[in-house]
Amino acid sequence: MSEHDANARFARETIVEPAAIARARAHALELGAAPISPAVGAQCALLAAAGAARSILEVGTGAGVSGLWLLRGAPQAVLTTIDNEREHLAAARQAFADARIPATRGRFITGRAADVLPRMNEGAYDIVFIDADAENVIEYVEHGLRLVRTGGLVLVPRVLHGGRVADPVQRDAVTSSYRSLVQETQESQAVLAALSTVGEGLLQLARVAE
């Protein structure tokens, strides 16, 4: 085992996932709603805590795993989550209730993100978390950067796409979208960008003042 592999394995195995999130993860897998890894979840919780987030927008609810991680880091935040799968939203509601998250801290919107995001208020969120429709990820990130306040974060998991993004031979639509997103945000003057290789990868974008 290489040093890199050993480090990655150690990082994965040292994370302790709270019981409520572990239950939500099991339900997500039953529904076929692939949840973010505990490693990415823990990183999101830390970022939410460090930024003292009070208003979070999530694109792609799944069964509530990512939302629970974000709210773990920001215990006073209100999370608005968008998904077009009613079953996923219902599972997330139940997961929040099981975790004793007050109903006032969750806002659940049923609909396509492409239809909902243009109607949302600019600069209204501390964090926008995007985990839906990988083929439309660049469009969603553009909306996310409009919706976060200056200094706010846009977080995009799965950007390494199972190692495909790093392989120049891979040129399918999703891989190309993620690759373009990483490259373009690194070169942008509108954001500060960092790419974490923990778990399935997490692109972190901070909106800077114009």
Side-chain angles (χ1 to χ4, degrees), residues 15 19 24 49-50 58 67-68 95-96 109 119 134 139 145 169 173 180-181 191 207 209:
I15 295 168
E58 178 184 53
L68 288 174
F96 280 31
I109 299 176
R119 303 198 300 266
E139 176 187 353
L145 290 171
V169 174
S180 295
L181 175 63
V191 300
R207 177 181 170 182

Side-chain angles (χ1 to χ4, degrees), residues 107-166:
R107 180 183 175 215
F108 299 84
I109 299 176
T110 305
R112 295 176 61 250
D115 297 330
V116 176
L117 291 173
R119 303 198 300 266
M120 306 194 84
N121 293 331
E122 182 173 346
Y125 298 93
D126 299 308
I127 295 175
V128 175
F129 180 85
I130 298 170
D131 187 21
D133 303 335
E135 63 274 14
N136 297 315
V137 66
I138 293 177
E139 176 187 353
Y140 294 162
V141 168
E142 289 173 351
H143 280 298
L145 290 171
R146 176 181 64 84
L147 297 173
V148 291
R149 62 172 174 77
T150 299
L153 298 176
V154 174
L155 305 177
V156 188
R158 308 184 204 277
V159 290
L160 299 179
H161 197 37
R164 297 176 67 87
V165 168

Side-chain angles (χ1 to χ4, degrees), residues 13-122:
E13 293 180 350
T14 55
I15 295 168
V16 177
E17 189 163 58
I21 303 180
R23 288 193 297 271
R25 178 178 303 283
H27 196 184
L29 294 172
E30 290 173 1
L31 292 174
I36 59 170
S37 67
V40 168
Q43 193 160 30
C44 290
L46 184 145
L47 291 168
R54 303 292 296 229
S55 183
I56 301 172
L57 173 62
E58 178 184 53
V59 183
T61 306
V65 173
S66 51
L68 288 174
W69 272 115
L70 288 160
L71 290 175
R72 177 174 171 79
Q76 302 304 316
V78 173
L79 182 138
T80 299
T81 186
I82 305 167
D83 205 297
N84 63 356
E85 295 284 349
R86 293 183 182 276
E87 187 176 17
H88 293 179
L89 288 164
R93 285 180 186 274
Q94 187 59 54
F96 280 31
D98 290 346
R100 299 185 179 180
I101 303 292
T104 54
R105 291 182 55 209
R107 180 183 175 215
F108 299 84
I109 299 176
T110 305
R112 295 176 61 250
D115 297 330
V116 176
L117 291 173
R119 303 198 300 266
M120 306 194 84
N121 293 331
E122 182 173 346

